[in-house]
Amino acid sequence: MPLDVSLLPASLAGDADPVTLAVSEGALAGGIAGTPPDRSVLKEAEALCAAHLEAGTPAIGLHRLLELVRCHPGTERLQLLAVRLLDRWSGREHSIPAWTALSERFPSCQEAFLLVLRWTLRMRGRKAARNLIAVRFPRPPASPDEILLRARAWDELGATAEASADFARLSRRDPANPAVPLMRARMLERRGHQHAARRVLAAALRRGGPEERLAPEIARLNADIQALAGVPRARPGAPADTGSRVLAYLLEEAIRRRGAPERRAVALGRVVMVNGSLGAGGAERQLANTAVGLQRARLAGQAIAGHPVEGPIEVICRSLDDRPGADFFLPVLREHGVSVGCYDRFPDFGGDPAGSLLAEWRHLLRFLPPRVAEGTARLTDVFRARAPAVVHLWQDGTILAGALAALLAGVPRIVVSVRSAPPPDRPERDRPEYAALYPLLMRAPGVTMTANSHFSAMRYAEWIGLAPDRVVVVPNGLSMPAAEPSGGSRELLDAFTARAGRGFTVGGVLRMDENKRPYAWLDCAARVLARRPDARFILVGDGELRDAAEAHARALGIAGRVLFTGRRPDVGFWLRQFDALLLLSRWEGLPNVLIEAQGAGVPVVTTPAGGAAETLLHGETGWVLGSAAKPDLDEAASRLVALAAGGACPVDSAARARRFVANRFSLARMVEQTMETYVA
């Protein structure tokens, strides 16, 4: 049964989260907070939550859990399970109010407090996180549970001294409890202090701790210490965690052994492009455009930028079935004969551990961050066997997963294409291993970094410490999608027109996730509608916030004026139905949709996210709002209303937009510039 999202509008309108609402409704209906549910109910709830998390259907599980919360509004465990499902369904940003409220209702709920603390640290910084701990613990905790919670909180902040002090207090209070030294040891181990972790466990064992639990951990640490004996300590200023330390060591070894690649031949040989998936994203679109452009030239015997393309051209993704729509661009690649593989199905070490390039380092792979370990084990020997002239890695996550493999395999030319802003600018995605990876990677001969906007190029160069010209700007190439409808789109539009009538149409083409702000988009739509009752709105795209966005439209009272098309194969058709396009992203590289909209003659209104401002002529083919962090929705609505009145852009803005896009964002030029990075 699908989730009845009409149950959730208040949370999505910013009043209260759905779990808190369910608690309030249950209390008002006569639920007795002090009466726990039967054991069978808790068991059912646990199984239900686990099943829906594993199946990727959290909305369905949440519907049932909210019913149980209403029946038992005082039961912490039911609320915790419901918030976990909400978190998976709506995304972390929109579930944080629920986690916060849960922590306030049940101060002993360690998971809720630690998760809110982690989010605060990522999004607001260390000072705000420390303040959160100070508010939660205005005086030193007295009970073992409270001491443990504060110790874990200090650990989240990386405050090892404070955490160790609380762990020591716990050990004195309950010296026979093995959980305390085990947690303290794991904290030290994560920070790269294996010797100190071993000392903590050995001391606990001497105090009479259970040998069956402590001795295996000590033996494992002894093996780890021996395995890490040849890995240098982290350099000053570098990430000190074990994963980053091992990654830096292996990168330096790979760079040293690979040496300086030979000069490229005139003709371009095998090219392997790697990305996480082929989903309907901007980077994936440009990857597909580039691969198809190279393949067409290869099959036609044409040179690109003076270089014949011998190929073959190949694409490798991590997976095409780990989420709906991950294979969006697969048909176009297959249509042009581009080989596509998935490395989550490749065997580790090429199926031959003893003969693998990684044979001497296999003992270290377990210390690498999981994404790096997987990519290195699955791709290194594949790259060696296929001997590509170029490996082209797209986006930060893929660069992290594949760069070490490409270096170890001795690939002569490695191109890394970054988008948007560097990891530190996106704290929810940042990891310490990025700081270990990029400075070393960009020291290696034959490695080129490209960005699709000047904004991204500047920020990555600043972060890594590169000269600005070390990051090559290759703007996206426009491949205008076909204007013909398909897959029932014409019927969908006709039904919407019959219901809502014709009028000024504001469109959006976006993945419905936190970055694209579908709720704010709809809030802006409501403002436009208040001033232009004839306006209507079309949102093309899907994502984890789709159901919640539809609920938000209902809560705003504008659902009858909004069409949610879902993911459509004929975006070009929908663009031509718009009178204006609105984009409210937090982060962007160079947004394809802004380019495509102008190519269709549609003016745009956008936040200045990433390189968005580079895609238009401000005041002529569109408008750039003042802030990406906190967009002024009244300003956005005013720009759209002015467009509806015909006064926001010059009368020839449609023709000017088409000319501007054709000159600035040529697909042929993008492929030529990419070729130049391959053969430089």
Side-chain angles (χ1 to χ4, degrees):
M1 178 178 62
L3 175 65
D4 179 3
V5 291
S6 64
L7 296 170
L8 313 179
S11 70
L12 302 173
D15 296 330
D17 69 87
V19 180
T20 298
L21 285 173
V23 170
S24 300
E25 291 165 1
L28 289 173
I32 302 173
T35 302
D38 293 337
R39 197 181 190 116
S40 61
V41 173
L42 288 176
K43 188 174 180 181
E44 175 199 350
E46 295 276 1
L48 184 147
C49 179
H52 285 292
L53 287 175
E54 183 174 353
T57 55
I60 299 173
L62 178 59
H63 188 286
R64 175 60 180 142
L65 257 297
L66 290 177
E67 293 176 357
L68 293 176
V69 169
R70 290 187 187 93
C71 293
H72 306 282
T75 302
E76 174 185 343
R77 189 63 187 171
L78 293 177
Q79 294 181 38
L80 175 61
L81 296 173
V83 176
R84 285 178 183 169
L85 288 164
L86 176 68
D87 186 285
R88 178 71 65 84
W89 173 58
S90 68
R92 180 59 46 81
E93 180 181 14
H94 298 287
S95 68
I96 279 294
W99 286 112
T100 303
L102 180 63
S103 180
E104 290 170 351
R105 287 192 294 272
F106 301 100
S108 62
C109 182
Q110 297 202 3
E111 181 177 340
F113 177 72
L114 292 173
L115 194 146
V116 173
L117 177 68
R118 190 178 305 132
W119 181 259
T120 301
L121 176 64
R122 286 192 173 186
M123 303 308 295
R124 298 176 55 202
R126 189 169 298 278
K127 183 176 180 181
R130 278 188 168 271
N131 184 61
L132 189 64
I133 294 176
V135 170
R136 175 65 179 78
F137 299 101
R139 60 188 59 86
S143 72
D145 285 346
E146 289 285 280
I147 297 171
L148 176 60
L149 179 57
R150 194 174 74 166
R152 295 181 67 189
W154 288 129
D155 181 22
E156 288 288 344
L157 265 64
T160 305
E162 292 94 331
S164 292
D166 277 339
F167 279 129
R169 285 183 63 201
L170 274 174
S171 294
R172 290 193 294 271
R173 291 279 298 270
D174 188 4
N177 184 352
V180 176
L182 283 168
M183 280 190 285
R184 183 180 179 187
R186 287 167 187 161
M187 173 193 72
L188 293 167
E189 186 180 358
R190 285 194 301 273
R191 305 278 182 256
H193 306 304
Q194 278 78 10
H195 289 277
R198 182 176 60 183
R199 287 195 295 271
V200 166
L201 295 180
L205 188 60
R206 288 194 299 272
R207 290 195 301 269
E211 183 174 355
E212 67 276 7
R213 293 191 62 183
L214 297 175
E217 288 295 305
I218 294 172
R220 182 185 60 78
L221 279 169
N222 284 334
D224 288 353
I225 289 168
Q226 183 176 357
L228 293 168
V231 179
R233 303 298 301 175
R235 294 174 178 171
D241 64 287
T242 302
S244 296
R245 174 186 160 201
V246 172
L247 175 59
Y249 167 69
L250 291 177
L251 283 167
E252 290 181 330
E253 279 295 297
I255 292 169
R256 180 181 65 81
R257 297 188 185 194
R258 172 174 170 268
E262 297 180 2
R263 297 279 299 176
R264 297 254 26 95
V266 173
L268 177 67
R270 182 188 291 268
V271 176
V272 176
M273 299 185 188
V274 189
N275 194 42
S277 76
L278 292 174
E284 291 81 2
R285 181 181 299 277
Q286 296 311 311
L287 180 155
N289 285 341
T290 303
V292 168
L294 293 170
Q295 179 75 340
R296 282 174 170 167
R298 172 176 174 257
L299 296 177
Q302 296 173 344
I304 298 177
H307 298 274
V309 182
E310 294 180 350
I313 310 302
E314 180 180 4
V315 171
I316 296 177
C317 297
R318 183 186 180 275
S319 177
L320 295 178
D321 55 13
D322 61 341
R323 59 181 173 83
D327 60 352
F328 186 83
F329 289 106
L330 180 61
V332 70
L333 292 173
R334 284 182 170 166
E335 176 188 345
H336 289 86
V338 177
S339 170
V340 178
C342 297
Y343 73 79
D344 66 343
R345 299 178 183 177
F346 294 174
D348 287 345
F349 314 116
D352 179 17
S356 169
L357 276 175
L358 297 166
E360 65 178 292
W361 290 315
R362 279 169 48 207
H363 66 291
L364 291 177
L365 294 190
R366 70 179 187 273
F367 299 107
L368 289 172
R371 181 176 295 183
V372 185
E374 179 191 40
T376 303
R378 300 281 176 86
L379 289 171
T380 301
D381 293 290
V382 169
F383 289 157
R384 176 176 67 166
R386 300 185 188 183
V390 178
V391 163
H392 189 162
L393 305 169
W394 295 73
Q395 305 189 89
D396 287 315
T398 303
I399 296 166
L400 186 66
L404 177 58
L407 288 168
L408 288 167
V411 176
R413 193 74 184 166
I414 303 170
V415 176
V416 296
S417 287
V418 298
R419 325 284 291 185
S420 185
D425 290 4
R426 304 185 69 176
E428 74 280 8
R429 296 189 177 185
D430 195 14
R431 298 289 184 272
E433 49 264 30
Y434 283 117
L437 169 72
Y438 274 117
L440 287 169
L441 179 62
M442 295 311 298
R443 277 176 26 199
V447 175
T448 297
M449 175 177 284
T450 73
N452 61 351
S453 72
H454 292 280
F455 170 85
S456 295
M458 176 194 69
R459 280 297 300 123
Y460 272 89
E462 288 177 349
W463 172 56
I464 299 171
L466 301 174
D469 60 359
R470 283 291 313 280
V471 184
V472 180
V473 178
V474 180
N476 292 354
L478 174 65
S479 175
M480 278 303 296
E484 294 75 23
S486 63
S489 285
R490 171 61 70 185
E491 293 76 11
L492 190 62
L493 176 63
D494 289 346
F496 178 56
T497 300
R499 182 176 78 247
R502 298 186 184 276
F504 181 74
T505 303
V506 179
V509 179
L510 51 94
R511 175 170 174 76
M512 293 193 192
D513 59 16
E514 297 171 10
N515 178 47
K516 303 295 184 179
R517 291 189 174 110
Y519 308 148
W521 200 101
L522 292 164
D523 290 339
C524 183
R527 287 166 166 81
V528 172
L529 197 58
R531 297 163 64 180
R532 287 287 306 226
D534 67 322
R536 64 181 193 170
F537 308 89
I538 298 176
L539 276 168
V540 180
D542 210 341
E544 58 265 28
L545 299 186
R546 161 82 180 276
D547 290 345
E550 293 192 27
H552 191 47
R554 289 196 293 274
L556 292 170
I558 65 172
R561 308 297 301 173
V562 183
L563 173 63
F564 291 85
T565 74
R567 186 182 292 108
R568 305 303 300 176
D570 50 356
V571 171
F573 166 77
W574 290 101
L575 285 174
R576 286 163 176 80
Q577 313 310 313
F578 302 164
D579 296 305
L581 182 134
L582 175 64
L583 185 69
L584 294 176
S585 300
R586 289 179 169 84
W587 304 103
E588 287 288 355
L590 199 74
N592 288 304
V593 68
L594 296 180
I595 302 170
E596 292 173 348
Q598 292 171 89
V602 178
V604 299
V605 176
T606 179
T607 61
E614 300 172 36
T615 68
L616 57 90
L617 296 173
H618 182 66
E620 297 184 39
T621 66
W623 292 91
V624 181
L625 303 174
S627 171
K630 295 182 178 180
D632 185 334
L633 299 185
D634 290 322
E635 178 191 2
S638 295
R639 295 298 186 194
L640 293 168
V641 170
L643 283 169
C649 290
V651 292
D652 66 341
S653 61
R656 188 172 302 195
R658 291 188 182 98
R659 289 195 301 270
F660 167 70
V661 163
N663 292 333
R664 179 73 65 87
F665 302 106
S666 160
L667 181 59
R669 181 59 186 143
M670 181 194 74
V671 177
E672 287 179 358
Q673 289 178 292
T674 302
M675 171 66 86
E676 289 165 359
T677 69
Y678 289 175
V679 299

